[in-house]
């Protein structure tokens, strides 16, 4: 316990002071010290006292920040972990913090407000029942500094209602909040609006009042999000009337000079648009009487709002509101008048589609952001995007008139452009955008109801207005229009005829040389998309032969583009390189010796500081493709790849570049698998390192490392047994680690299966029993469907490799009658769950052996299981796979399921071929079963038919007859 | 026990829990014995003390007049509220006066005065209104031993007395109180043998011997005996009531019919075993016919003031909807009765409430076998469902999304292909912008199902699958879906952004054209994240999930 005295307060203040020091030698120890004492009782109280009593504002803020961080780290009580804050401290904090927050200056208020919401998230409402009442009481204070503090805190407490799933617990909380909060909030809302009138000429008062109104509107949104509360339904008139008035309100005093930053008026109106949109979308029935008013108000708002960036959010919210309303059948009438439509098109849509100077600046100076917004669809909040959505919305009912109105606009804008391209190029940009937004709607229709839109002729527009720009010999002239043209090709690639596209390819290749980052990036992206398109027979739309003539130019321009400043790690270009390799296949072989040098060089550079994950991924993919394509023609060239790559790989592994290590393992697996003879010594030298536990700590390493070890076992199982038998325990240690984890157990089985398949049996003889014991332990501690499936495959593979007798003996050796238990409790009930062709085949062959090559099945008490095992096997052949999951596995944490390991990026082109350990030895397992049963029956005449006729069900028997007939054998 | 928290106002569609006899239809329900005390002082002027002394007097006439006065007190309350008829739980001071004066036990005693039917009637009326009040008021009536007294009066030879007793029992049964032993007032009424005499009434050769209001009261009281779960009414009582309800389903008074349908809807709102009891009783064919009931619009406005609850369509649809939350066989019974033929009308119904329940019902049919999905297709409902998805109001869209997701989860490759060809993607993807997290997640499940369906299509070449996947990707991209999915990667809700991430990683990261193969033993559990969606109950009732087939994993070795 820390005494709450002056001495301690003094010490604390000193340390707080030190944490502000720019000198790390002073700062760090102070931070460490504070963390070391924060577990003491009274520490938070001491902090709050310092915050309250200190004369130094810097110390007060510092105490507030330290307090918030302390709360963030310690308040939550984690199950099975000690409670890090004593209960008296918790109570004291909760008793004082609200008051302290409300009486503090704004900077401190914000920190404490955050702290309250963190505490609230854990304790509210049950463990902090009086929080709300305490807050609501402050509404009466009349001090808007205090009121805004309350509102801000309430907002951070309630905003989660906007995204959480409905649950009784959540709704009970909301109900409680509504009961205490809704009425006072409404009163406050009304009072604040009155005060705005009283203080209409006092700018400082207005600023405070309008931030209150904005916060109140945000609270309205949170409280109304999950469902329409009874209180707000009853008070809709009050709220909506005021909201409507506020929307139409203008106050010169509140207009701001700033062009970029939204002012208070804009923020409030944006939130009101959101509120109206929420009601229109979710509570249509109740909101209907108010809706037309809001449409008019918002529509007027749009017509009178300027082009400045500060209005963007407001305008986009307002347009989105209209867009969501206009496609509802019962509001159609609000829009259908020709004058209304024309004026929406003219005054709302067209102005908001213009290419503004801010866009132009981004195009030139901030290309990365421009691309993300324009190409990758993060433009969801932009004006252009909202306008585009409104076009689509209007087209639902008014496609004809809207298209006609816009055709006029498009034509006049193109005419303007033609008159003076240099001055009027932005007109063409708008025209293209307009056509695109109109046609995209048609694209939906086309795919939806296979009904092509006749209103916009995409090909004609392409030929008259897009192709000329692409053909232009001056690549660097009007870069925005060039980028538009390229984007047009990309967007409508599936609508344009193949000949047109093919004609475009060399033009695009030329545009890769453009200086503008946006332009050459779009071009690379367009080529990449074109190369992935599929033709009618599902091969790629363009064949390698069709593209081959451009190979040299294409590859040159792509690699040169990587040298243009700003594009040295351009993921679109790298992806286009990968895609070109993949499409062109052996056509690239002559260029590889040069290109591999460039790729390796690039790899060396980026491995110093990997920052663009996508770029790096495609770089590795391109390396894999180079290897595959070249070695397919000439396997011996694998050596020259190893020569080129291993120095860089060594560097990456030695300096432990975490992002790249999994990739390196995958490329190495690919290389090793290409080798035809035994394992090269260079690989063997690395083998011990691969078993180091530290490598296996990182989940992202596990899949590629397992794959690499599998390649080692396949190519060098005998070598390992011969020259490195001391490494086998390490290998099995890896297996043991993997098998213990629900997430990675299947990887452990991959490894184990490879051991069984490729290691000489005698080399692992001494470990076998231990392996089985480990598996049983896992079965007992946590049995999952995934584990069972893998276990079944392993057991049967073991049976195939070592024989049924060996399998039975090893089980019964662990514990008498164990073999029977495994059959009864796992094989029979669960084999229907096994998925995958190869896996099913392994199980089928293994079970056949158990049935026909294991004397214990015929002569001991296991005999009673024989027909059941056979029945299960026939089920495996004939019944649909059982893909049901027990209830308690439905909610296995996502992190636990394969495929969700973001740290591991699987390389598609390092892909492994499906491996069938049984191979051609058994082509049809049903025939094998028939033949094996025949053999068994001749060995003990009469027994098999009698077991069949007494214990097998009729349906299974019928299937079995079919197999026997197909194999032309008879049982005796 | 499930608690269902609601933020909304009580549903207008729901049936009344309790009703007071406010004498708004004087000929039918107000005292036929009025003439007896016409010359007496107006009971309005009686003070509570007067009533107490009157009730306790030795004179039957005094007692009767005092009882009438007490009944008037019970009428006095919130006259302003009578047009709503739906009693809220506000205070009824005059009733409280009667309760506090300890008059109830005396009134209950009067119920047994069979030699004086007028006093039985007046007492029953007063008690009816008291029982229509707050939980405490109802409890006072019950604790005074009113239930057995009322049960005796059901068989009274005087129709007015009998009717009033039945009504009172309805009010008592409608009070949902869980007593210490887990039983409810409803079960107390049943335990005191109310069902028997009610069913006797319904066994006459022709139901039209009864006055309309009488039969309505019988039906309404029966419906309250069927109402509420946790616990559900005793099985034996339910089985006893079902033949009577079936009779009422064939009766032609719309109000009685509606209440009978409500009763069935309550009985079917429960586990499959409960649904089975109803289907076994042979109610499904008649219930299905009733889906075709007249639209509210054609009725005269006078009836409209009695609210839509008097039309059987809403409760019928609810009952049918409840039945299809059951097993595939139970659902099949509804399909065999031809229910789907009415759905074009229901899905395009003028009232959005009906559309919503229709979509909900379909969502549980599409959660069934693929042959049942085929019947939905055969009835031409897919385009209508998509239409609702596109332009229904939000609560309807929400149910339609479930219908689509269940369809994509259980449908065959061809069925899902048909759904996509019918244009489901665009409206479905639009709902990714819905302001409801659950809906967004369910939409993403549907999209994932559609993609996975293609992945797992048997008899299809890998290259074809790749081509189909690419086409799907283009379609999703083409209607702005990809933008929406990408925007969800920054959603505040963890499950939503993970689902968005998963979709993008799997299908939109552009790495489709490699040769991705599952390595040996690739025991990846395909459906872990997206199990077949359970059948769901309507959101206004506590949700119950159809449990997916449980695995018989044996105990550990």
């Amino acid at each position: 316990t820390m005494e709450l005295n002056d001495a301690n307060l003094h010490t604390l203040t000193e340390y707080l002071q030190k944490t502000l020091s720019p000198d790390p030698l002073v700062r760090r120890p102070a931070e460490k010290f504070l963390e070391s004492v924060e577990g003491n009782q009274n520490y938070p109280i001491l902090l709050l006292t310092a915050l309250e009593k200190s004369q130094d504002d810097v110390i007060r803020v510092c105490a507030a920040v330290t307090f918030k961080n302390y709360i963030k780290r310690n308040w939550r009580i984690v199950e099975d972990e000690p409670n890090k804050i004593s209960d008296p401290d918790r109570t004291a904090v909760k008793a004082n913090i609200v008051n302290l927050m409300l009486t503090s200056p704004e900077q401190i208020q914000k920190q404490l407000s955050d702290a309250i919401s963190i505490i609230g998230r854990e304790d509210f409402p049950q463990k902090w029942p009086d929080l709300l009442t305490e807050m609501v009481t402050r509404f009466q204070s009349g001090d808007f500094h205090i009121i805004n503090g309350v509102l801000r805190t309430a907002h951070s407490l309630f905003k989660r209602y906007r995204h959480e799933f409905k649950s009784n617990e959540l709704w009970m909380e909301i109900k409680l909040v509504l009961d205490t909060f809704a009425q006072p909030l409404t009163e406050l809302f009304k009072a604040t609006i009155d005060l705005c009138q009283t203080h209409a000429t006092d700018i400082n008062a207005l600023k405070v009042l309008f931030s209150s109104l904005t916060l109140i509107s945000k609270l309205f949104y949170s409280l109304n999000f999950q469902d329409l509360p009874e209180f707000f339904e009853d008070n809709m008139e009050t709220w909506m009337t005021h909201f409507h008035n506020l929307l139409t309100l203008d106050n010169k005093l509140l207009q701001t000079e700033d062009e970029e930053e939204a002012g208070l008026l804009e923020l409030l109106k944006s939130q009101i648009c959101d509120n109206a949109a929420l009601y229109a979308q979710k509570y249509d029935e109740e909101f209907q009487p108010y809706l037309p008013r809001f449409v008019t108000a918002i529509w007027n708002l749009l017509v009178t709002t300027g082009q400045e960036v500060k209005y963007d959010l407001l305008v986009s919210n307002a347009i989105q509101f209209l867009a969501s309303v206009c496609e509802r059948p019962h509001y159609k009438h609000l829009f259908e008048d020709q004058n209304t439509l024309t004026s929406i098109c003219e005054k709302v849509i067209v102005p908001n589609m213009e290419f503004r100077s801010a866009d132009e600046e981004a195009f030139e100076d901030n290309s990365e952001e421009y691309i993300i917004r324009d190409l990758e669809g993060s433009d969801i909040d932009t004006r252009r995007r909202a306008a585009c959505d409104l076009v689509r919305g209007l087209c639902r009912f008014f496609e004809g008139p809207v298209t006609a109105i816009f055709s006029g606009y498009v034509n006049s804008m193109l005419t303007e452009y033609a008159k003076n391209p240099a001055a009027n190029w932005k007109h063409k940009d708008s025209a293209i955008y307009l056509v695109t937004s109109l046609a995209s709607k048609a694209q939906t229709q086309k795919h939806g109801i296979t009904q092509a839109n006749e209103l916009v002729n995409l090909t004609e527009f392409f030929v008259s207005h897009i192709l000329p720009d692409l053909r232009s010999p001056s690549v660097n002239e009007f870069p925005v229009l060039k980028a538009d043209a390229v984007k047009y090709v990309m967007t409508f690639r599936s609508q344009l005829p193949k000949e047109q596209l093919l004609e475009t390819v060399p033009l695009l290749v030329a545009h890769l040389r453009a200086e503008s980052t946006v332009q050459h990036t779009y071009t690379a992206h367009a080529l990449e998309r074109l190369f992935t398109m599929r033709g009618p027979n599902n091969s790629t739309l363009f064949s390698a032969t069709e593209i081959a003539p451009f190979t040299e130019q294409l590859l040159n321009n792509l690699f040169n583009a990587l040298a243009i400043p700003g594009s040295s790690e351009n993921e679109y270009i790298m992806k286009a390189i990968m895609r070109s390799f993949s499409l062109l296949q052996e056509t690239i072989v002559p260029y590889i010796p040069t290109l591999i040098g460039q790729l390796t060089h690039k790899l060396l550079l980026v491995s110093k500081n990997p920052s663009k994950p996508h770029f790096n991924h495609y770089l590795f993919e391109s390396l894999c493709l180079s290897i595959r394509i070249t070695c397919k023609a000439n396997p011996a060239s694998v050596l020259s790849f190893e020569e080129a790559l291993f120095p860089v790989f060594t560097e990456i592994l030695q300096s432990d570049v975490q992002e790249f290590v999994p990739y390196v393992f995958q490329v190495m697996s690919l290389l090793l698998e290409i080798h035809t003879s035994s394992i090269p010594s260079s690989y063997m030298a690395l083998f011990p390192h691969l078993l180091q536990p530290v490598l296996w700590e990182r989940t992202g390493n596990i899949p590629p490392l397992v794959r690499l070890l599998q390649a080692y076992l396949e190519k060098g199982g005998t070598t390992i047994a011969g020259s490195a038998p001391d490494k086998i325990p390490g290998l099995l240690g890896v297996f043991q680690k993997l098998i213990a984890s629900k997430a990675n157990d299947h990887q452990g089985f991959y490894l184990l299966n490879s051991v069984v398949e490729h290691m000489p049996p005698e080399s692992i003889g001494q470990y076998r029993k231990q392996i089985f014991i480990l598996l049983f332990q896992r079965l007992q501690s946590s049995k999952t469907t995934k584990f069972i499936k893998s276990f079944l495959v392993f057991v049967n593979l073991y049976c195939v490799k070592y024989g049924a007798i060996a399998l039975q003996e090893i089980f019964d050796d662990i514990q008498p009658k164990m073999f029977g238990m495994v059959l009864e409790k796992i094989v029979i009930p669960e084999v229907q769950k096994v998925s995958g062709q190869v896996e099913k085949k392994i199980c089928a062959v293994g079970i056949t052996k158990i049935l026909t090559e294991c004397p214990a099945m015929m002569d001991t008490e296991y005999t009673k299981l024989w027909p059941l095992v056979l029945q299960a096997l026939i089920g495996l052949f004939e019944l649909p796979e059982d893909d049901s999951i027990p209830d308690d596995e439905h909610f296995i944490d996502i992190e636990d399921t394969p495929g969700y390991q973001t740290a591991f990026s699987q390389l598609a082109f390092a892909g492994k071929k499906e491996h069938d350990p049984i191979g051609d030895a058994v082509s049809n397992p049903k025939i094998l079963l028939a033949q094996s049963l025949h053999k068994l029956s001749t060995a003990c005449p009469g027994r098999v038919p009698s077991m069949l006729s007494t214990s097998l069900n009729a349906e299974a028997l019928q299937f079995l007859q079919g197999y026997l007939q197909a194999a032309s054998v008879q049982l005796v | 026990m499930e608690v269902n928290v609601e933020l909304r106002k009580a549903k207008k569609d729901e049936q009344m829990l309790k009703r007071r006899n406010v004498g708004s239809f004087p000929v039918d329900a107000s005292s036929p014995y009025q003439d007896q005390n016409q010359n007496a002082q107006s009971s309005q002027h009686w003070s509570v003390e007067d009533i107490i002394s009157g009730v306790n007097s030795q004179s039957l006439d005094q007692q009767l007049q005092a009882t009438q006065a007490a009944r008037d007190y019970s009428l006095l309350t919130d006259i302003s509220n009578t047009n709503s008829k739906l009693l809220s739980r506000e205070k009824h001071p005059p009733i409280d006066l009667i309760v506090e004066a300890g008059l109830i036990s005396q009134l209950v005693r009067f119920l047994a005065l069979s030699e004086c039917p007028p006093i039985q009637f007046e007492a029953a009326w007063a008690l009816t209104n008291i029982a229509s009040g707050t939980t405490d008021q109802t409890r006072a009536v019950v604790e005074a031993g009113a239930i057995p007294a009322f049960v005796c009066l059901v068989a009274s030879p005087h129709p007015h007395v009998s009717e009033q007793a039945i009504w009172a029992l309805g009010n008592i049964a409608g009070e949902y109180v869980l007593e210490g032993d887990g039983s409810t007032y409803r079960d107390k009424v049943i335990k005191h043998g109310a069902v028997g005499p009610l069913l006797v009434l319904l066994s006459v050769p022709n139901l039209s011997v009864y006055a309309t209001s009488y039969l309505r009261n019988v039906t309404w009281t029966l419906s309250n005996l069927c109402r509420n779960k946790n616990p559900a009414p005793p099985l034996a009582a339910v089985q006893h009531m079902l033949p009577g309800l079936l009779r009422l389903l064939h009766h032609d008074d719309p109000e009685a019919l509606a209440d009978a349908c409500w009763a069935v809807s309550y009985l079917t709102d429960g586990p499959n075993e409960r649904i089975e009891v109803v289907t076994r009783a042979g109610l499904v064919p008649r219930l299905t016919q009733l889906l075709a009931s007249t639209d509210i619009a054609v009725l005269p406005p006078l009836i409209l003031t009695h609210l839509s609850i008097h039309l059987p369509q809403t409760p019928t649809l609810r009952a049918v909807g409840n039945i299809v939350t059951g097993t595939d066989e139970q659902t099949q019974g509804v399909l065999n009765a031809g229910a789907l033929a009415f759905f074009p009308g229901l899905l395009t119904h003028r009232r959005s409430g009906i559309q919503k329940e229709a979509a909900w019902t379909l969502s549980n049919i599409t959660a069934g076998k693929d042959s049942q999905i085929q019947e939905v297709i055969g009835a031409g409902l897919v385009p209508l469902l998509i239409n609702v998805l596109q332009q229904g109001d939000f609560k309807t869209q929400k149910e339609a999304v479930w219908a689509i997701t269940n369809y994509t989860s259980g449908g065959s490759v061809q069925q899902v292909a048909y759904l996509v060809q019918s244009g489901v993607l665009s409206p479905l993807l639009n709902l990714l912008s819905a302001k409801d997290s659950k809906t967004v997640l369910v939409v993403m499940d549907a999209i994932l199902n559609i993609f996975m369906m293609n992945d797992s299509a048997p008899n299809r070449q890998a290259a074809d699958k790749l081509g189909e996947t690419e086409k799907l990707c283009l379609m999703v991209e083409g209607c702005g879906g990809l933008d929406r999915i990408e925007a969800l990667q920054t959603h505040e809700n963890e499950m939503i952004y993970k689902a968005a991430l998963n979709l993008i990683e799997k299908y939109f990261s552009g790495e489709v054209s490699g040769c991705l193969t599952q390595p040996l033993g690739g025991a990846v559990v395909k459906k872990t994240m997206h199990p077949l969606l359970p059948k769901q109950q309507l959101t206004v009732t506590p949700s119950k999930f159809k449990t997916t087939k449980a695995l018989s994993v044996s105990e550990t070795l």
Side-chain angles (χ1 to χ4, degrees), chain A residues 162-166 168 171-172 174-175 178 221 225-230 233-234 277-278 281-283 285-286 328-329 376-377 380 385 392 396-397 440 443-444 447-449 493-494 529 532-534 538 575 578-579 617-618 621 628 750 753 776 779-780 783 785-786 789-790 821-822 825-826 830 833 835 838-839 842 882-887 889-890 892 894-895 897-900 902 906 908-909 911-915 917, chain B residues 2-12 352-353 390-395 397-398 420-423 426 430 433-439 441 463-468 470-471 474-475 477-480 483-484 486-487 491-496 498-499 501-503 505 508-529 531-532 539 547-557:
Chain A
R162 300 174 177 195
H163 57 79
E164 295 218 341
F165 295 128
K166 175 188 174 178
N168 269 336
W171 281 36
M172 246 135 68
I174 297 177
K175 225 175 151 67
L178 287 166
Y221 192 81
F225 194 90
Q226 293 270 332
D227 203 349
L228 176 59
E230 180 162 7
E233 187 175 343
D234 291 342
L278 176 74
Q281 192 188 92
K282 293 186 81 170
Y283 318 125
E285 213 176 319
E286 294 82 0
R328 302 226 156 235
E376 298 175 5
I380 225 133
R385 175 50 175 272
R392 291 184 198 187
R396 177 154 296 158
F397 293 118
S440 306
Q443 189 186 23
T444 315
H447 285 304
I449 323 168
R493 62 188 187 277
S494 55
R529 293 283 90 194
T532 47
M533 288 176 73
R534 301 269 150 188
N538 266 322
K575 194 173 180 186
M578 171 194 79
R579 199 66 70 197
H617 184 90
Y618 300 132
E621 293 281 23
R628 286 178 94 104
Y750 295 162
N753 290 342
F776 280 125
L779 262 181
Q780 264 168 339
K783 186 165 64 169
T785 306
K786 176 159 80 88
K789 286 161 75 173
S790 301
M821 278 208 278
V822 170
K825 309 265 177 170
I826 301 177
E830 309 279 7
K833 293 206 176 83
S835 52
V838 175
E839 289 80 356
I842 293 170
D882 174 5
D883 57 3
S884 62
I885 303 291
D887 284 345
E889 285 183 39
H890 277 161
I892 288 186
I894 292 171
E895 310 303 348
T897 47
Y900 252 104
T902 39
Q906 188 164 12
F909 293 112
K912 190 180 173 185
K913 288 214 179 71
E914 188 161 39
H915 170 71
Chain B
E2 291 171 287
V3 190
N4 210 35
V5 189
E6 284 296 335
L7 302 175
R8 283 235 179 205
K9 272 181 186 287
K11 289 282 179 312
K12 296 171 204 120
S352 61
Q390 182 149 310
Q391 39 184 262
D393 78 342
F394 183 66
K395 53 188 194 297
Q397 286 178 318
K398 227 159 73 176
V420 173
Q421 282 154 16
S422 306
S426 175
N430 277 341
S433 315
K435 295 178 188 342
D436 179 72
S437 298
K438 188 75 197 174
T439 305
L441 194 67
D464 284 342
K465 288 181 187 176
L466 226 51
E468 289 302 316
E470 166 131 346
K471 263 188 225 158
L474 266 179
M475 284 160 84
E477 203 179 333
C479 48
D483 291 349
R484 289 194 161 90
E486 281 175 339
H491 200 276
E492 296 271 352
N493 188 304
E494 193 182 343
M495 286 186 57
I496 289 182
K498 282 189 171 159
L501 200 70
N502 180 35
L503 268 174
E505 280 185 352
F508 295 97
S509 57
E511 293 321 310
V512 240
S513 42
C515 41
L516 291 163
T517 49
Q518 280 302 336
L520 173 75
V524 177
V525 183
K526 207 170 51 192
K527 288 196 170 168
T528 303
M529 259 201 63
L532 186 77
T539 35
T547 44
T548 40
K549 184 173 55 171
L551 267 183
S552 54
V553 184
S554 56
E555 60 284 357
T556 44
L557 291 155

Side-chain angles (χ1 to χ4, degrees), chain A residues 174-375:
Chain A
I174 297 177
K175 225 175 151 67
L176 186 95
V177 169
L178 287 166
D179 287 346
T180 331
F181 205 77
Q183 181 68 45
L185 187 72
T186 310
E187 296 308 324
L188 180 69
F189 184 48
K190 290 194 283 195
T192 312
I193 284 170
D194 287 344
L195 284 170
C196 287
Q197 263 139 28
T198 322
H199 297 280
T201 54
D202 178 351
I203 172 68
N204 289 323
L206 281 183
K207 277 185 180 166
V208 178
L209 293 171
F210 268 76
S211 28
S212 309
L213 287 176
T214 307
L215 283 165
I216 292 171
S217 304
K218 284 176 195 276
L219 286 166
F220 177 92
Y221 192 81
S222 300
L223 295 177
N224 282 276
F225 194 90
Q226 293 270 332
D227 203 349
L228 176 59
E230 180 162 7
F231 177 87
F232 285 102
E233 187 175 343
D234 291 342
N235 291 275
M236 202 182 290
E237 180 69 27
T238 308
W239 283 91
M240 288 305 154
T241 308
H242 287 311
F243 279 155
H244 180 259
N245 291 340
L246 289 170
L247 267 184
T248 53
L249 177 102
D250 192 16
N251 188 318
K252 293 273 176 299
L253 286 176
L254 286 167
Q255 286 171 2
T256 52
E257 295 291 312
D258 195 320
E259 285 200 359
E260 305 265 324
E261 197 79 31
L264 284 167
L265 210 49
E266 288 81 63
L267 289 176
L268 175 60
K269 289 183 181 183
S270 305
Q271 186 57 51
I272 293 176
C273 286
D274 275 347
N275 293 353
L278 176 74
Y279 266 50
Q281 192 188 92
K282 293 186 81 170
Y283 318 125
D284 193 27
E285 213 176 319
E286 294 82 0
F287 187 56
Q288 263 182 38
Y290 301 92
L291 190 118
R293 257 183 268 177
F294 275 86
V295 169
T296 318
I298 287 175
W299 144 258
N300 284 328
L301 182 82
L302 280 168
V303 173
T304 53
T305 303
Q307 286 282 349
E308 291 82 359
V309 174
K310 67 172 167 183
Y311 300 124
D312 282 6
L313 181 65
L314 172 58
V315 168
S316 117
N317 279 357
I319 299 180
Q320 291 293 5
F321 172 80
L322 291 185
S324 69
V325 172
C326 73
E327 57 183 33
R328 302 226 156 235
H330 46 278
Y331 298 127
K332 197 175 142 183
H333 64 276
L334 296 172
F335 297 87
E336 68 192 344
D337 178 65
Q338 180 73 25
N339 290 327
T340 311
L341 279 179
T342 312
S343 123
I344 290 182
C345 294
E346 187 175 333
K347 294 183 178 142
V348 178
I349 295 173
V350 172
N352 284 306
M353 282 195 176
E354 269 172 33
F355 196 75
R356 295 181 296 169
S357 49
D359 299 319
E360 202 176 344
E361 274 168 36
F363 186 92
E364 282 165 10
D365 304 331
N366 198 352
S367 48
E368 206 164 329
E369 194 191 306
Y370 183 92
I371 291 166
I372 288 177
R373 208 171 59 205
D374 185 50
L375 199 58

